[in-house]
Amino acid sequence: LPPVQHASAAEVIQRYELDTDGIDSGATYLIVAKSYAKALKSATGSNNGVSVTLNGNTATADSTAYGWTFTASGDKYTIRNNSTYLGRSSSQVAAGSSSTTWTVTNNGSGNYNVKQTSSNSWWGGSSYNLRWSNSNNTFQASSSNSDPVRLYKHTGASGIGANYVRLAGEYRGVQCGAKFAEVFRKLDVSLRVTELEGATDAFNVA
């Protein structure tokens, strides 16, 4: 095996946990499709989904750009991504304004219906439900489908920082301890484990 070489590559992963007990006003959430590893990334009518990683009640993404801040406004919420508010144009997701609000209903187990209701003086209002359409590969505001979304609350970032080693062409983050020492013994580089003392990054293969 080649000598272990330290590298300066860095990667930050944003972590989110499934929120099962209701929205916390002011918190930032990943809006995820019910049955797919897709999150809403932008307030546009098409190409607005991004792939994320789901593992149990945890979701991870490679950017903070996909987070949406839910802020209470009476009994409803504004939903904002940086300076862009989530809105609706007919059945499509669109950019809204600071007065654009959504009703959020907790259905339990991390499932939420996020809806807007349009009013009409002649026959009442229509309800538009935020959901993922896998056939159209996009999030939409549907008046005919009540599939919920799942909301994962941002809990911070986990990291792979500069404490890297290069081994056989791969980057591996290193965390000291018996578990990872065993990994290196199996790779027959146990004599080099002492070089890694003090590293605190999570084990990862990029």
Side-chain angles (χ1 to χ4, degrees), residues 9-13 158-164 172-174 201-206:
E11 182 180 2
V12 176
I13 300 298
S158 61
I160 303 166
N163 288 324
Y164 271 72
R172 295 179 183 268
V174 177
D201 296 319
F203 184 81
N204 190 67
V205 177

Side-chain angles (χ1 to χ4, degrees), residues 100-115:
T100 305
T101 57
W102 297 76
T103 298
V104 181
T105 303
N106 183 3
N107 297 324
S109 302
N111 298 307
Y112 294 80
N113 280 114
V114 180
K115 293 185 176 183

Side-chain angles (χ1 to χ4, degrees), residues 6-201:
H6 286 274
S8 60
E11 182 180 2
V12 176
I13 300 298
Q14 301 300 322
R15 297 179 62 84
Y16 300 79
E17 293 295 326
L18 188 65
D19 195 334
T20 59
D21 61 0
I23 295 298
D24 297 319
S25 180
T28 298
Y29 289 87
L30 205 61
I31 301 174
V32 178
K34 178 187 176 184
S35 303
Y36 300 92
K38 293 288 187 178
L40 180 65
K41 69 175 182 178
S42 59
T44 56
S46 61
N47 194 32
N48 59 19
V50 64
S51 295
V52 294
T53 300
L54 303 179
N55 183 11
N57 287 339
T58 300
T60 55
D62 61 5
S63 173
T64 58
Y66 314 136
W68 296 85
T69 301
F70 284 62
T71 303
S73 178
D75 59 351
K76 299 180 182 180
Y77 292 86
T78 60
I79 304 174
R80 176 176 52 84
N81 174 264
N82 293 319
S83 60
T84 301
Y85 286 85
L86 183 64
R88 177 187 59 81
S89 177
S90 186
S91 61
Q92 292 188 327
V93 171
S97 69
S98 59
S99 62
T100 305
T101 57
W102 297 76
T103 298
V104 181
T105 303
N106 183 3
N107 297 324
S109 302
N111 298 307
Y112 294 80
N113 280 114
V114 180
K115 293 185 176 183
Q116 267 195 355
T117 300
S118 64
S119 59
N120 186 290
S121 59
W122 291 99
W123 56 80
S126 296
S127 184
Y128 292 86
N129 181 61
L130 180 65
R131 47 94 62 175
W132 170 256
S133 171
N134 201 52
S135 59
N136 294 309
N137 197 37
T138 194
F139 283 88
Q140 60 183 204
S142 175
S143 61
S144 59
N145 190 303
S146 59
D147 281 349
V149 292
R150 293 168 69 76
L151 298 180
Y152 291 77
K153 184 179 177 180
H154 188 240
T155 58
S158 61
I160 303 166
N163 288 324
Y164 271 72
V165 293
R166 181 184 295 155
L167 181 64
E170 295 178 335
Y171 286 105
R172 295 179 183 268
V174 177
Q175 178 175 322
C176 292
K179 180 177 180 181
F180 297 111
E182 177 66 20
V183 171
F184 278 88
R185 278 196 292 273
K186 289 181 179 178
L187 292 172
D188 196 28
V189 290
S190 58
L191 294 178
R192 299 189 184 105
V193 172
T194 55
E195 297 178 25
L196 307 174
E197 291 180 358
T200 58
D201 296 319

